[in-house]
Amino acid sequence: MTVHALAAPRRRDVRAVAPAERTPAPWIAVVAAVIALLVDLTGRVGLGPVSGSAAVTLGAAVALAALAPLLAGSRALAVIPWPLTAFVLYAIVRLFADFSMEGLQNIAVLTLFLLGIAFSARASSVERAGAGLVLLAGTGLATATVFLVQAATGAVVYGTRSFALAALVLLAAAVATPGVRWWSRIAPIVIAGAVLASLSRTATVLAVLLLSGLVVRMRRGRRSLFALAGVASAGAGIWTLVTVFPPLRDRFLTGDNALEFGGIALNTSGRSSLWEAVIEGIDTNPLFGHGPGSAVQLVTARFAPIQQPHNDYLRLAHDYGYTGLAVFAAGVIWLLIRIARRAIVTDRAVHWAALFALVAVLLAAATDNVFVYPFAMLPLGVLIGLSLGLPAREAGNTERPR
């Protein structure tokens, strides 16, 4: 294959997605789509000591772990950064030493994330990656439609925060998916609109910024200017929404006003008190933390009915110490570098989707609990696996962008 043939990124990218109607998505992508479609719906069902959501999470994690021997001998395991594998193994050892149901659930979500990467990488090809991307984008449109109906009718299907965080990953898939179908053209706007309707502050800001990623649907030579204009428009749009849309303005500016940014006092909805308490706990054992689930136990004991610390990095530091947080961060940085390189070099939609989704989740984790949500982390793992699972000849033998 000549360099000239490889240098038509958008036409080739469209073909990479077009076969989705003929090529089925990997089974793990189907599982991720179902869990994403349910969001937190199963959480309202009680099953003894755990919720239905916890039961689904634990069951899915056990099922994937039981299937893990199928990965032996494939390169799928090699795409998982060893620091992330080491972190999960360390967390499991800590769980045996100091068991808690909260810790078990959190580790189950991280297990789903890693095995989602591995199984989707094992099944990935250009056609299957395209099919998986289309499936997750379509799932995002479906969940957004349900949420908009919910907002219009007052019915309760999804929790607002849960939906908004799950939607970020699905929005990333929709933004990167070439607009070759009518619904794929409207999906990013519909999903972002639903996130705005949720009034989730962090998710709304990230959703508006993600829309600037639509420039990857354009040819490379025209992107730079449009990307700058997109980011500027996103910033202006966020400012306009915060200042003129009363429900969102109140979410940002009315409340404890415990955080100041640019001379403006912002509402943290009590997060500042949670964070101070968790940081105090970290300081008593900064190297190794207090064990899986300990942050949840601390917050529940002091701030019930609030149960989560609303900052996943503080959660990791409290549960596993700065040692565990550093190992986790090393693995995530490895993922970012690998995926970003593939996106820049090959310009494939699946790489951009994985990159957008990973960045959005990492930013959302600073104010929310996205690392413990299976309906966000499994779809994220699938996107990452579909990206890193493409053979080197498909992922790397493309001319560099102009």
Side-chain angles (χ1 to χ4, degrees), residues 89-299:
L89 293 176
Y90 170 65
I92 293 172
V93 171
R94 291 293 303 273
L95 183 66
F96 277 110
D98 190 10
F99 179 84
S100 72
M101 185 56 68
E102 296 85 0
L104 176 62
Q105 293 176 37
N106 295 350
I107 292 172
V109 175
L110 291 175
T111 301
L112 284 177
F113 173 60
L114 292 194
L115 291 178
I117 294 175
F119 278 109
S120 55
R122 180 176 182 264
S124 188
S125 66
V126 171
E127 292 78 15
R128 288 177 180 171
L133 189 60
V134 168
L135 175 62
L136 291 178
T139 301
L141 181 60
T143 57
T145 302
V146 171
F147 187 83
L148 288 172
V149 172
Q150 167 181 319
T153 63
V156 178
V157 181
Y158 301 143
T160 54
R161 179 180 290 112
S162 299
F163 161 76
L165 293 172
L168 289 177
V169 177
L170 304 176
L171 175 59
V175 163
T177 300
V180 294
R181 300 170 177 79
W182 69 267
W183 64 263
S184 65
R185 298 187 189 101
I186 66 170
I189 303 301
V190 174
I191 299 171
V195 173
L196 171 61
S198 76
L199 300 180
S200 175
R201 290 159 294 182
T202 301
T204 295
V205 170
L206 292 175
V208 174
L209 289 173
L210 278 172
L211 289 179
S212 63
L214 286 167
V215 297
V216 302
R217 294 185 176 189
M218 305 171 62
R219 292 186 180 277
R220 281 178 165 174
R222 302 170 55 192
R223 287 184 191 170
S224 298
L225 183 60
F226 280 98
L228 291 174
V231 172
S233 298
I238 292 167
W239 177 258
T240 301
L241 287 171
V242 171
T243 54
V244 306
F245 183 45
L248 197 61
R249 181 185 62 211
D250 292 344
R251 291 279 291 151
F252 273 95
L253 303 179
T254 302
D256 59 17
N257 299 116
L259 179 66
E260 186 169 319
F261 180 78
I264 300 175
L266 300 176
N267 172 33
T268 68
S269 297
R271 283 175 171 81
S272 59
S273 298
L274 300 179
W275 296 340
E276 287 175 6
V278 174
I279 291 171
E280 289 175 1
I282 294 170
D283 289 341
T284 62
N285 193 351
L287 277 181
F288 302 107
H290 300 275
S294 60
V296 172
Q297 295 170 344
L298 170 66
V299 170

